[in-house]
PDB file of all heavy atoms in Angstrom:
ATOM      1  N   ALA A 113     -10.334   3.210  -5.555  1.00 89.00           N
ATOM      2  CA  ALA A 113     -11.128   2.495  -6.582  1.00 89.00           C
ATOM      3  C   ALA A 113     -12.078   3.171  -7.200  1.00 89.00           C
ATOM      4  O   ALA A 113     -12.543   2.950  -8.387  1.00 89.00           O
ATOM      5  CB  ALA A 113     -11.630   1.065  -5.919  1.00 89.00           C
ATOM      6  N   ASN A 114     -12.701   4.238  -6.549  1.00 91.00           N
ATOM      7  CA  ASN A 114     -13.779   5.008  -7.087  1.00 91.00           C
ATOM      8  C   ASN A 114     -13.396   6.556  -6.572  1.00 91.00           C
ATOM      9  O   ASN A 114     -13.999   7.070  -5.818  1.00 91.00           O
ATOM     10  CB  ASN A 114     -15.116   4.641  -6.423  1.00 91.00           C
ATOM     11  CG  ASN A 114     -16.283   5.255  -7.191  1.00 91.00           C
ATOM     12  OD1 ASN A 114     -16.183   5.999  -8.137  1.00 91.00           O
ATOM     13  ND2 ASN A 114     -17.448   5.134  -6.526  1.00 91.00           N
ATOM     14  N   PRO A 115     -12.518   7.093  -7.362  1.00 91.00           N
ATOM     15  CA  PRO A 115     -12.079   8.468  -6.990  1.00 91.00           C
ATOM     16  C   PRO A 115     -13.243   9.485  -7.012  1.00 91.00           C
ATOM     17  O   PRO A 115     -13.036  10.647  -6.287  1.00 91.00           O
ATOM     18  CB  PRO A 115     -11.072   8.887  -8.028  1.00 91.00           C
ATOM     19  CG  PRO A 115     -10.518   7.602  -8.564  1.00 91.00           C
ATOM     20  CD  PRO A 115     -11.687   6.668  -8.452  1.00 91.00           C
ATOM     21  N   THR A 116     -14.322   9.268  -7.563  1.00 91.00           N
ATOM     22  CA  THR A 116     -15.434  10.247  -7.627  1.00 91.00           C
ATOM     23  C   THR A 116     -16.041  10.484  -6.219  1.00 91.00           C
ATOM     24  O   THR A 116     -16.564  11.463  -5.980  1.00 91.00           O
ATOM     25  CB  THR A 116     -16.572   9.894  -8.457  1.00 91.00           C
ATOM     26  OG1 THR A 116     -17.540  10.939  -8.603  1.00 91.00           O
ATOM     27  CG2 THR A 116     -17.189   8.580  -8.058  1.00 91.00           C
ATOM     28  N   VAL A 117     -15.835   9.551  -5.261  1.00 95.00           N
ATOM     29  CA  VAL A 117     -16.290   9.728  -3.904  1.00 95.00           C
ATOM     30  C   VAL A 117     -15.278   9.909  -2.840  1.00 95.00           C
ATOM     31  O   VAL A 117     -15.441   9.858  -1.653  1.00 95.00           O
ATOM     32  CB  VAL A 117     -17.229   8.552  -3.468  1.00 95.00           C
ATOM     33  CG1 VAL A 117     -18.449   8.555  -4.335  1.00 95.00           C
ATOM     34  CG2 VAL A 117     -16.555   7.268  -3.467  1.00 95.00           C
ATOM     35  N   SER A 118     -13.970  10.277  -3.381  1.00 96.00           N
ATOM     36  CA  SER A 118     -13.081  10.825  -2.412  1.00 96.00           C
ATOM     37  C   SER A 118     -13.649  12.127  -1.768  1.00 96.00           C
ATOM     38  O   SER A 118     -14.258  12.737  -2.391  1.00 96.00           O
ATOM     39  CB  SER A 118     -11.777  11.108  -3.051  1.00 96.00           C
ATOM     40  OG  SER A 118     -11.147   9.925  -3.626  1.00 96.00           O
ATOM     41  N   THR A 119     -13.271  12.404  -0.553  1.00 98.00           N
ATOM     42  CA  THR A 119     -13.935  13.434   0.173  1.00 98.00           C
ATOM     43  C   THR A 119     -13.105  14.069   1.294  1.00 98.00           C
ATOM     44  O   THR A 119     -12.237  13.456   1.928  1.00 98.00           O
ATOM     45  CB  THR A 119     -15.177  12.885   0.830  1.00 98.00           C
ATOM     46  OG1 THR A 119     -15.972  13.876   1.417  1.00 98.00           O
ATOM     47  CG2 THR A 119     -15.023  11.716   1.816  1.00 98.00           C
ATOM     48  N   LEU A 120     -13.393  15.297   1.645  1.00 98.00           N
ATOM     49  CA  LEU A 120     -12.882  16.017   2.730  1.00 98.00           C
ATOM     50  C   LEU A 120     -13.867  15.739   4.047  1.00 98.00           C
ATOM     51  O   LEU A 120     -13.419  16.064   5.120  1.00 98.00           O
ATOM     52  CB  LEU A 120     -12.879  17.479   2.581  1.00 98.00           C
ATOM     53  CG  LEU A 120     -11.545  18.071   2.008  1.00 98.00           C
ATOM     54  CD1 LEU A 120     -11.308  17.591   0.628  1.00 98.00           C
ATOM     55  CD2 LEU A 120     -11.618  19.558   2.050  1.00 98.00           C
ATOM     56  N   SER A 121     -14.962  15.092   3.966  1.00 98.00           N
ATOM     57  CA  SER A 121     -15.891  14.931   4.823  1.00 98.00           C
ATOM     58  C   SER A 121     -15.840  13.639   5.676  1.00 98.00           C
ATOM     59  O   SER A 121     -16.301  12.595   5.046  1.00 98.00           O
ATOM     60  CB  SER A 121     -17.343  15.248   4.332  1.00 98.00           C
ATOM     61  OG  SER A 121     -18.318  14.843   5.297  1.00 98.00           O
TER      62      SER A 121
END
Side-chain angles (χ1 to χ4, degrees):
N114 188 13
T116 189
V117 294
S118 294
T119 180
L120 269 66
S121 171

